[in-house]
Amino acid sequence: MRTLRSTFEENYRAVPEPSGNRRGFKMRYIYIGPWYIWNLPRERVQTAKRLMGAACIFSILLFFSGAFLNSPLNHDRYVSLTGMLSIAALVFEVFGAAQFCAAREKMTTMDFHDIQTKLMLAPLAHGVLLLITAAFAVRQLLRWDGFVLTDTVVPMCYALSGILSLLMFFYFRSLPIRKEKNKDWDIGLSS
């Protein structure tokens, strides 16, 4: 496994640049690695970013809508445990979606792999954990002799939030990407 330092040294080159300091120059690091570019028209990329951001926001709203309801289901140990575990995945999902939405047209190797890792793991883990949470909540509902109609909202919120997270995962996985050789570094330009 490559370290962050070896990846940096592989993808950047130090170029001395004249400066008014004591040494008379400063080091400028120019990206020389390959560019990762979405293999879609610009409008489709913008649509993908909007869809991913909206799905992430609605997933968060649904999750917290179910979690903050005053229901005995949220006090069940199995519902609470899987729900709390899903919060860790939710944090990475939010960061990955934010990075994806803010990404430039051309991405460096480190940026692309960071986004890809977060959006290939976190939404999948979050979605699966929330579907398990919803299943535990439904199981608990079925064990009760009677329940209030509002108690059914909790598993519905968890299930819908989990489905949105899984849709984010499948949508990101379907986006085509191309790797392009960096031609700018030969003349010392960095975009």
Side-chain angles (χ1 to χ4, degrees):
M1 186 169 150
R2 293 188 338 214
T3 64
L4 185 61
R5 181 181 178 99
S6 66
T7 304
F8 179 82
E9 289 173 350
E10 181 180 304
N11 291 314
Y12 287 86
R13 173 178 289 163
V15 176
E17 192 175 80
S19 177
N21 61 12
R22 276 192 317 195
R23 297 186 327 199
F25 69 93
K26 65 179 180 179
M27 296 305 283
R28 180 174 161 219
Y29 291 92
I30 298 175
Y31 183 71
I32 61 172
W35 293 111
Y36 286 84
I37 302 170
W38 301 111
N39 202 13
L40 293 169
R42 178 181 226 112
E43 298 80 31
R44 294 262 326 263
V45 172
Q46 293 303 319
T47 301
K49 288 180 178 184
R50 278 189 231 109
L51 285 173
M52 190 73 76
C56 185
I57 289 169
F58 284 119
S59 178
I60 293 168
L61 290 175
L62 283 167
F63 173 74
F64 285 114
S65 295
F68 288 137
L69 276 177
N70 189 13
S71 169
L73 288 174
N74 285 328
H75 301 288
D76 180 64
R77 69 174 158 237
Y78 298 114
V79 174
S80 298
L81 177 67
T82 54
M84 285 188 286
L85 287 174
S86 74
I87 291 175
L90 175 65
V91 169
F92 285 104
E93 178 182 312
V94 169
F95 283 130
Q99 282 180 308
F100 173 71
C101 290
R104 296 181 181 176
E105 184 179 338
K106 289 178 166 182
M107 292 175 286
T108 64
T109 302
M110 290 192 300
D111 288 342
F112 173 72
H113 288 298
D114 191 33
I115 294 169
Q116 182 186 35
T117 301
K118 287 177 185 159
L119 289 180
M120 291 298 279
L121 297 176
L124 180 63
H126 186 236
V128 168
L129 284 168
L130 280 183
L131 290 178
I132 292 170
T133 304
F136 281 136
V138 168
R139 182 190 66 123
Q140 192 64 22
L141 272 177
L142 296 175
R143 285 182 163 181
W144 292 346
D145 291 334
F147 53 87
V148 183
L149 188 60
T150 56
D151 287 334
T152 61
V153 173
V154 172
M156 285 188 338
C157 285
Y158 289 148
L160 289 173
S161 179
I163 289 169
L164 277 174
S165 289
L166 289 174
L167 287 174
M168 285 175 63
F169 164 74
F170 288 121
Y171 189 66
F172 181 78
R173 199 174 85 174
S174 71
L175 293 175
I177 191 94
R178 76 177 187 270
K179 197 172 172 181
E180 193 175 276
K181 187 177 185 310
N182 188 352
K183 299 173 186 119
D184 294 339
W185 72 274
D186 287 330
I187 56 174
L189 298 176
S190 175
S191 4

